[in-house]
């Protein structure tokens, strides 16, 4: 029972990873070609691993070569993602980085008095 469930989990994780890579490639549009190529290589590597493991229904069906190639492919993908993150960290404008970890961006009219203590830690735009 454990083996089929583990393989099903692996296939599900690969599908999620492929979907994330597809979003990554589309998000890289407009960035330098080297960044786009790195994103495409990540997606291509994930597709190769997914194809290699798609027809596997037991661990006995996995050859050592497939496991080694998959491990190497995923290591290259991780290296490419690290390069992408480094590029974005060095070149992305601060307002592009949004999320629950970013300070709130607040706009207010200049003629309205603002209680500044209330907005401590926020970035003001105005």
């Amino acid at each position: 029972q454990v083996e089929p469930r583990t393989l099903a989990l692996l296939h599900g994780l690969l599908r999620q990873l492929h979907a994330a890579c597809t979003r990554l490639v589309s998000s890289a549009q407009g960035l330098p070609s080297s960044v786009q190529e790195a994103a495409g290589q990540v997606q291509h590597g994930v597709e190769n691993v997914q194809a290699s493991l798609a027809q596997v229904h037991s661990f006995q069906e996995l050859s050592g070569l497939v496991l080694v190639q998959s491990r190497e492919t995923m290591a290259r993908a991780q290296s490419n993602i690290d390069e992408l993150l480094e590029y974005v960290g060095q070149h992305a404008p601060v307002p592009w980085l949004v999320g629950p970890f970013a300070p709130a961006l607040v706009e207010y009219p200049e003629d309205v008095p603002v209680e500044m203590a209330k907005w401590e830690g926020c970035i003001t735009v105005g």
Side-chain angles (χ1 to χ4, degrees), residues 2-115:
V2 173
E3 186 177 38
R5 292 169 68 191
T6 303
L7 286 171
L9 179 63
L10 175 63
H11 292 288
L13 289 172
L14 285 170
R15 279 191 301 274
Q16 290 177 19
L17 185 56
H18 183 262
C21 287
T22 301
R23 289 189 300 274
L24 176 66
V25 168
S26 68
S27 296
Q29 299 296 323
L31 294 175
S33 61
S34 62
V35 174
Q36 292 182 41
E37 284 178 29
Q41 289 172 1
V42 170
Q43 182 180 27
H44 184 69
V46 169
E47 288 170 351
N48 286 343
V49 171
Q50 196 173 22
S52 296
L53 302 177
Q55 303 304 319
V56 173
H57 300 291
S58 74
F59 290 121
Q60 283 87 20
E61 294 177 31
L62 288 172
S63 71
L65 179 61
V66 168
L67 290 175
V68 168
Q69 289 174 338
S70 296
R71 188 178 312 125
E72 289 173 355
T73 299
M74 296 313 293
R76 280 192 307 274
Q78 182 175 355
S79 176
N80 285 334
I81 288 176
D82 289 345
E83 289 176 30
L84 288 169
L85 291 174
E86 184 176 331
Y87 175 85
V88 169
Q90 292 177 0
H91 297 93
V94 175
W96 184 79
L97 299 173
V98 294
F101 54 86
L105 294 175
V106 179
E107 283 190 53
Y108 58 90
E110 291 184 28
D111 59 339
V112 176
V114 176
E115 186 181 322

